[in-house]
Amino acid sequence: MGSKHGKPVLREEDITQLAQTSGLDRKQVEDHFNGFKAEHPDGRMNKKEFATMLSKALPKKDASKMDKHVFRVYDTNLDGFIDFVEFMVVYYVMADGSPEEVLLKIFRIFDINSDGVISKKELTRLVKDMYAMIKSESPETVRIIEIVETFETASKEMIAKSAFAEMDKDTDGKITTEEFISACLGQEELSRILALKCVDIFVQDD
C-alpha cells in the first residue's frame, strides 16, 4: 500500500502479490480496492471499524469478545490498522488456503502479544473470551455431546490447561507454530475445537 497526494493507492507490487495469491486478475484486484476505498477513504480500517464490520458479518455468532483477537490476524505489520492488502491476503487464505496456511493465520489469534509463541496465560485468556462460542458448537460436530458436557462442567482454566498440554509437545511452557499446527491437524480434541471455532468466525453462514 502507498499513497499519492494523501490518498491511498495500490502499488504495482501489491497488485502482483494479490493477483498471485488470490487468482484474481489485475482489474478484479483494482475493483476490490475501489470498493474497500469507498468504505474506508483513507485506505485502512481501524479497530473500531473492524469490530463493527465483524458484528454485522456475524450476527448469529457470539463473537463479541473476539474482535480484538481476530484483528491481529489481519494486522500483520502491527500498526493498529488493516489496509487493503492485509485484508485481501487473509480473505483468500481463509477461503482457498491449505490447512497449514489457514492454521498459520489462526495462530495469530492465540498469540496475543505477537511474539511468535503461545503461552499458557495467552491460551487461558483466549478460552475465556471465546467460551460462549465454544458452548454454541454446532450439533454436526463429531462427539459434540461429550465436548459440550466437558465445556459445561470444566472450568475455563482447566480447558486451557488441557488444550495447552495437547499442543505443547516438548513441555517447554510455550507453543510454537509447528506444535500448534501439528496438534490441530493431528485431531487433538480440544486443540481442534478451539481452532475450528476460530475458523468459524471467518466462514459466513449461508
Side-chain angles (χ1 to χ4, degrees):
M1 286 286 296
S3 64
K4 187 176 182 180
H5 305 307
K7 294 183 178 180
V9 294
L10 270 183
R11 298 170 303 183
E12 192 62 38
E13 55 262 40
D14 295 329
I15 296 173
T16 301
Q17 177 195 2
L18 289 174
Q20 289 175 343
T21 56
S22 68
L24 299 174
D25 61 33
R26 182 187 184 93
K27 184 179 185 306
Q28 288 172 317
V29 170
E30 290 174 342
D31 287 346
H32 279 297
F33 176 64
N34 289 331
F36 186 88
K37 197 165 57 171
E39 291 284 334
H40 311 284
D42 63 349
R44 58 187 192 172
M45 194 185 317
N46 62 32
K47 291 181 180 180
K48 185 176 180 180
E49 290 170 327
F50 181 75
T52 300
M53 184 197 76
L54 199 64
S55 65
K56 288 179 180 176
L58 305 171
K60 297 177 183 177
K61 295 174 183 174
D62 194 345
S64 58
K65 294 183 179 180
M66 291 297 292
D67 55 85
K68 57 186 176 293
H69 299 305
V70 178
F71 189 89
R72 280 195 303 279
V73 176
Y74 291 90
D75 183 22
T76 51
N77 66 357
L78 304 176
D79 67 351
F81 295 92
I82 299 169
D83 67 29
F84 174 71
V85 175
E86 289 174 325
F87 184 82
M88 290 294 285
V89 166
V90 172
Y91 178 85
Y92 279 97
V93 166
M94 299 310 294
D96 296 311
S98 67
E100 290 82 1
E101 288 172 327
V102 170
L103 287 169
L104 204 55
K105 293 296 183 185
I106 293 299
F107 181 87
R108 294 179 63 84
I109 293 180
F110 291 77
D111 182 15
I112 292 174
N113 67 358
S114 301
D115 67 348
V117 293
I118 303 168
S119 68
K120 192 172 293 184
K121 184 178 179 180
E122 286 175 321
L123 190 58
T124 302
R125 163 85 178 276
L126 189 74
V127 167
K128 288 179 179 178
D129 285 348
M130 69 187 297
Y131 195 65
M133 287 178 61
I134 298 169
K135 288 175 66 175
S136 65
E137 180 68 51
S138 62
E140 291 82 18
T141 300
V142 178
R143 290 190 59 213
I144 189 56
I145 294 174
E146 297 100 304
I147 293 167
V148 169
E149 285 177 351
T150 298
F151 283 106
E152 290 285 0
T153 56
S155 70
K156 299 177 182 70
E157 289 77 11
M158 183 59 70
I159 294 165
K161 183 178 179 181
S162 300
F164 195 88
E166 284 183 358
M167 297 182 198
D168 184 22
K169 292 300 184 187
D170 63 2
T171 63
D172 65 349
K174 56 184 182 289
I175 300 164
T176 63
T177 52
E178 292 80 7
E179 287 175 321
F180 176 77
I181 291 171
S182 176
C184 295
L185 293 181
Q187 300 295 300
E188 296 284 4
E189 196 73 79
L190 293 174
S191 305
R192 186 174 63 86
I193 290 299
L194 291 174
L196 283 175
K197 292 312 291 182
C198 290
V199 171
D200 197 39
I201 296 171
F202 297 88
V203 181
Q204 295 194 23
D205 295 324
D206 295 332

